[in-house]
Amino acid sequence: MNLRNMALCSMFFWLICFKVSAQENSNYPSLKPIEYKENVRAPFSAQELGFLEEVYGEYLDQVILNNNQKQKEIKNLLRNRIEYLQINDASDQKKCEMLSEVSLFDAYNKNLTRDKKFNQDLFNPLKYNFNFYSRGSQMYRVDGTNYFILIRSQYNY
């Protein structure tokens, strides 16, 4: 019995050392806490609720509205992190993924469809599988236009 306890303690010790070592060797800089602007305290606008209903349908309450943290994340995304840019000068345009290459986020609503024409005032970014939670900012180009969708990282906007 004593030998068994020693073996378990030794194994536990090595696991702890390995875990600490793995954390120290991370190549990623530590992330600062996400700070939300004051505007995330305001309730969802009618347009924002429409965007959410389109994407989440009958699951809206369960996934978003009954989760305060998720509400903050969505409000922060829609209000502070997404920007639409019109860049007419070709020399200023960056190569980036086209909107048509981004799949639809249809996990909750299989009837989602792509917009036929881009209108930044009516565009629902929640419909698309954008990389909203990457460490860096992301940019996508709207096909056939000079419009770009910039999604700022939640860690440095």
Side-chain angles (χ1 to χ4, degrees), residues 15-72:
L15 286 173
I16 294 295
C17 288
F18 177 73
K19 182 175 176 136
V20 169
S21 173
Q23 289 175 353
E24 289 174 1
N25 292 333
S26 174
N27 291 332
Y28 295 108
S30 61
L31 297 173
K32 65 180 185 174
I34 298 167
E35 295 179 21
Y36 296 106
K37 293 184 178 180
E38 189 66 28
N39 65 356
V40 301
R41 292 180 186 242
F44 283 114
S45 69
Q47 183 181 39
E48 291 167 338
L49 279 173
F51 288 169
L52 289 164
E53 288 171 2
E54 180 180 18
V55 173
Y56 292 95
E58 64 187 70
Y59 300 97
L60 178 57
D61 287 341
Q62 178 185 346
V63 177
I64 305 293
L65 299 182
N66 292 335
N67 183 330
N68 289 336
Q69 182 59 37
K70 194 67 174 168
Q71 286 184 46
K72 273 202 253 184

Side-chain angles (χ1 to χ4, degrees), residues 66-92:
N66 292 335
N67 183 330
N68 289 336
Q69 182 59 37
K70 194 67 174 168
Q71 286 184 46
K72 273 202 253 184
E73 290 172 10
I74 296 291
K75 289 175 186 176
N76 187 43
L77 176 66
L78 293 174
R79 296 174 184 176
N80 303 315
R81 295 183 43 224
I82 297 177
E83 187 177 346
Y84 303 104
L85 308 169
Q86 187 173 16
I87 304 173
N88 293 321
D89 186 353
S91 64
D92 290 335

